[in-house]
Each structure stands twice: as C-alpha cells, then as structure tokens.
Amino acid sequence: MHIVRRTLQGATALCVATIFGSGALSGSAGAAAPPPSQLPLVTAAQQAAQWLAGKLTPGGYIAGASPGSPDPSLTANAVLALAAANVDLNGARAALNYLESNSAAYITVDGNDGPGRLALLILDAHALGADPTNFGGANLVARLQATEQPTGPDAGLFGTETQLGDYYASTYDQGLALSALDAVGVKADAPALNWLRQQQCPDGGWTEPAMALNACNGDPASYAGPDTNGTALAMQGLAAQGALTSTVNSNALAFLKNAQDTDGGWGLMPNAADNPEVSDPNSTSIVIQALLAVGQSPTSAVYTQGGTTPVATLLGFQVASGADAGAISLSNSGPTLGDVYATEQAVPALMGLSFPFGPSGHSYWLVSSSGGIFSFGNATFHGSLGAIPLNKPIVGSAATPDGLGYWLAGSDGGVFSFGNAVFHGSTGALTLNK
C-alpha cells in the first residue's frame, strides 16, 4: 500500500546501499532532478496522499455522500493510495482494520460474494503486508476463487450473471481479480484467463460489463462500446498473470493510442471526431498504470500530444493552493476542489505503480555502517541500530520475502533482526579470521 519514516541524514556516512524490492536507485546526490513529468513523481503523489489522509475519520473510514456515513469502497481505495505513497501508514492500517471489521457486509452484493470487492480487499491487505487468507477470519483468496463460474457461456467469469448485469462483475473486475490473485502468488486457471481474453473487441478494447451486454460496435457517444477503464484493468490483470499475449497486447495498445485525447490524457470513452472527449484524472491515471504494466513509458513520444505527456496532463489536475492543495480535482481549469476518488486513483499512477503492488514494491532501504536504516518509496521502517554502539560496522543486509523485516550483518559476523525477520544465530561472539 505504516510506520516510522526516516529522513536521510549524514549521507557521507553511508557505506552500504542495499536495494530491496522492484524499484531501483538511480542517479546520485549530485545528479540533475528528473523532468517534472518523469515517474515516479514522489512529491506530487505524497502531497495528494497527505490530503487524502486528512479525509480519514477517527473511525478509520472515508465518509460517503451522506455526512458521517462510511463508504467502504472509497476507504479501500484510500488504503491503496496511502500504501503506494508511503503516507500515514498508521491511518492506512486503521482503515484496513475498519474494512476487516466490516468486510462481511461489504463483500456481499446481489446476494453473493462480489469478486471486485474481494479483489480490492486482497490488494489492500497485500499492499500493507497483511494476510488476505485470514482477513477478519475470512480467507479472501479462497472466496474470490469460489466466485468463478465453472460452466456455461461465462465459464471462467468471477461473479454471477446477476452481478454481471448489475456491473458488480465485469471485464474491469475480472482484471482486478487476476491482479489480486497474482499478489498472493496464485496463478489463475485457463478459463478465467480465456474469458477475459475472449472479451477483447476487434479494435483492441474491452466493453463493460461484457461483450454480450455491451456490443463492441456500440456508440461511444451513448457510453456504449469499449472504454478505457475496462481496457486498462484487463491489461493489468492479464499482464500480472503473464497471460497477455503479444497480439492481445498490441491490439490493446492500439486502442488506447487511438482513444487518447488531444491534451495527452484519456476520458472514459474513446476520443473521436463524432465523440470529442475531455480527459479526466481517473481514466488518465488508470491508463498510465496499464501502460506501465506492459512496459510502456507514458512519457514517451508515442503518447505525447502537442508536447504534453499523459503524466503532465494528470499533474494538471492537482490543486495548487487553498484548503485542497495537493488533491486531485475533476477540473483542470478555474477554481478547483479536491475529489477523493480521483485522488485515490492518481496516487499509484504518480508513484509509477501498477497492480498489484506490495510493501516492498518500488521501494528500498539504505543501510549505513552504523546500522542506521533509511526507508524510501513504500519501504517500511522496522527499526535500526543507529543509537547503539557496535563492535564492528554493518557491511550487509537482506530483506524477508514479504518486505516486512530485514537482517543486518556486521563485519564480525554479528546478525541483527528486525520486523518479522527471525534471528537464527550469529558469529558475533567468535573471533573470525576474515
């Protein structure tokens, strides 16, 4: 998706720079700053996340349209945004606890477990290093897998036919479910992958909720036919599962390119002469994530329109001043107000993340010879030796597989464990030849 943040101090004392996770440390202290539209845009993302953190109530939830009424979906998306930006992780955990306590009511929709809601909770748990197989006593992963239709025309679909008709199951949710399963190391079966691949339209996009209920030749001016959001989630889910074939991928990219607005962003429906679209931050964010998931650069010349990249377009929605400074607005001109959902969607994109991302994704720790730990990205600080005199300097480190702990090793063979890293012994009390 929290913990104690450390500020990098005394850089000259750093002797070990060990990088964990899928991110990479690029450049140096004297390197030029990246262009303002080059991902990740940590400052912009964290400003947005800070504003979002202020919307969390003492009860750990984001309020909905009715004052004081919890909105579980907004709360679940807030967890992802805060985890992605590594902002107010204590608040994010409080929100996760709220969702855990109220998961039974939230998961059920149209009388059955909702696949999209289960997937979102799994991604939340994964982002914060929690166990989605024991979430309020429920195994979210098993329940998500149990929603898959075993037979019939929609074999492989996560969700019921009633949910499909009500948009509680869809190509969008199928992609989200595939990403969630990948987050916990589960490979989806062939029917689930095939159902989604077979929903791709000839122009490369995906309709919502499914082709049988929304034909590929629908009029986009009437919000029919393929859209950018369903396409972006389908791409991320298939990519996460390693099931995005070159043909499916190239066709999907062609659809997104053709759907792009002249300002560099995307709206829900494809931009066309007979359907001029206005970019919105939600669609632009989710398409950026899809491009990242398939190895495309959203700041490349391919996606630059009139000198403006999709990332720069997204930044144009960020409120510059006032009470909502840092938030993402639905308008990029004139007086602007922050929008909770737009802000939630934008933060992972600004951090350069696609689904799924976990506590050690796109993050790293720097370790000093004194045992000081400095965390960056969404790496979690679990403690350090910075205040303890050491017999010998720290010369190495390693993270646990889930990123929720680490070991430090001294040159004398001393081992120090933090977080969920287990101490198995050391040679700190022995005299070593080397």
Side-chain angles (χ1 to χ4, degrees):
M1 109 203 240
H2 285 56
I3 282 188
V4 179
R5 300 230 17 183
R6 292 287 299 271
T7 302
L8 181 60
Q9 299 176 12
T12 56
L14 294 174
C15 71
V16 180
T18 303
I19 303 173
F20 307 110
S22 58
L25 180 63
S26 59
S28 63
S37 63
Q38 190 68 42
L39 296 174
L41 293 173
V42 178
T43 299
Q46 292 188 338
Q47 288 172 343
Q50 289 286 3
W51 177 86
L52 184 62
K55 298 299 179 182
L56 284 172
T57 67
Y61 60 82
I62 297 284
S66 301
S69 175
D71 189 316
S73 290
L74 288 180
T75 303
N77 280 283
V79 170
L80 286 177
L82 295 176
N86 199 28
V87 166
D88 190 15
L89 300 183
N90 288 330
R93 284 202 175 92
L96 191 67
N97 289 337
Y98 167 82
L99 292 168
E100 191 170 7
S101 299
N102 296 274
S103 61
Y106 174 58
I107 291 170
T108 303
V109 59
D110 280 344
N112 290 278
D113 283 357
R117 296 182 176 189
L118 283 165
L120 188 55
L121 292 178
I122 291 170
L123 291 171
D124 278 350
H126 178 67
L128 292 182
D131 183 4
T133 66
N134 184 17
F135 192 82
N139 186 331
L140 302 180
V141 179
R143 289 175 67 170
L144 174 59
Q145 291 177 296
T147 68
E148 184 179 346
Q149 293 193 29
T151 59
D154 284 313
L157 168 70
F158 294 106
T160 67
E161 292 299 309
T162 301
Q163 290 172 338
L164 187 67
D166 291 337
Y167 286 76
Y168 290 119
S170 64
T171 53
Y172 184 106
D173 293 310
Q174 191 84 355
L176 200 66
L178 295 179
S179 292
L181 291 177
D182 178 72
V184 294
V186 174
K187 290 302 179 184
D189 60 21
L193 300 173
N194 289 335
W195 184 89
L196 188 56
R197 283 190 294 239
Q198 291 165 4
Q199 294 295 318
Q200 188 178 32
C201 292
D203 66 359
W206 276 262
T207 65
E208 293 185 71
M211 194 183 295
L213 300 176
N214 182 5
C216 292
N217 61 356
D219 182 7
S222 300
Y223 294 96
D227 69 74
T228 61
N229 288 222
T231 299
L233 259 295
M235 292 173 66
Q236 288 185 73
L238 290 171
Q241 289 286 333
L244 191 65
T245 67
S246 58
T247 299
V248 172
N249 184 44
S250 60
N251 290 342
L253 289 173
F255 170 81
L256 292 178
K257 177 58 183 174
N258 291 332
Q260 191 175 15
D261 297 337
T262 55
D263 65 2
W266 283 270
L268 173 63
M269 306 307 297
N271 184 62
D274 60 345
N275 183 50
E277 279 285 290
V278 176
S279 295
D280 67 74
N282 306 61
S283 300
T284 301
S285 296
I286 205 167
V287 172
I288 287 174
Q289 287 186 278
L291 295 177
L292 293 169
V294 300
Q296 295 281 302
S297 170
T299 58
S300 68
V302 175
Y303 302 103
T304 300
Q305 296 276 8
T308 303
T309 70
V311 177
T313 300
L314 179 57
L315 280 175
F317 288 95
Q318 189 159 37
V319 181
S321 61
D324 288 344
I328 303 300
S329 173
L330 294 176
S331 172
N332 58 6
S333 62
T336 54
L337 297 174
D339 181 82
V340 171
Y341 188 56
T343 303
E344 292 172 341
Q345 293 281 90
V347 171
L350 291 172
M351 287 297 295
L353 300 173
S354 57
F355 294 133
F357 55 85
S360 62
H362 291 264
S363 57
Y364 50 83
W365 295 272
L366 300 186
V367 186
S368 73
S369 60
S370 65
I373 297 286
F374 309 93
S375 57
F376 296 89
N378 57 9
T380 300
F381 177 76
H382 300 290
S384 75
L385 300 169
I388 301 175
L390 301 177
N391 293 327
K392 295 292 182 179
I394 297 298
V395 294
S397 56
T400 57
D402 60 8
L404 297 180
Y406 41 76
W407 296 269
L408 304 184
S411 64
D412 60 352
V415 174
F416 308 88
S417 57
F418 298 88
N420 67 356
V422 178
F423 179 76
H424 299 289
S426 75
T427 59
L430 303 178
T431 301
L432 304 178
N433 293 328
K434 296 290 184 181

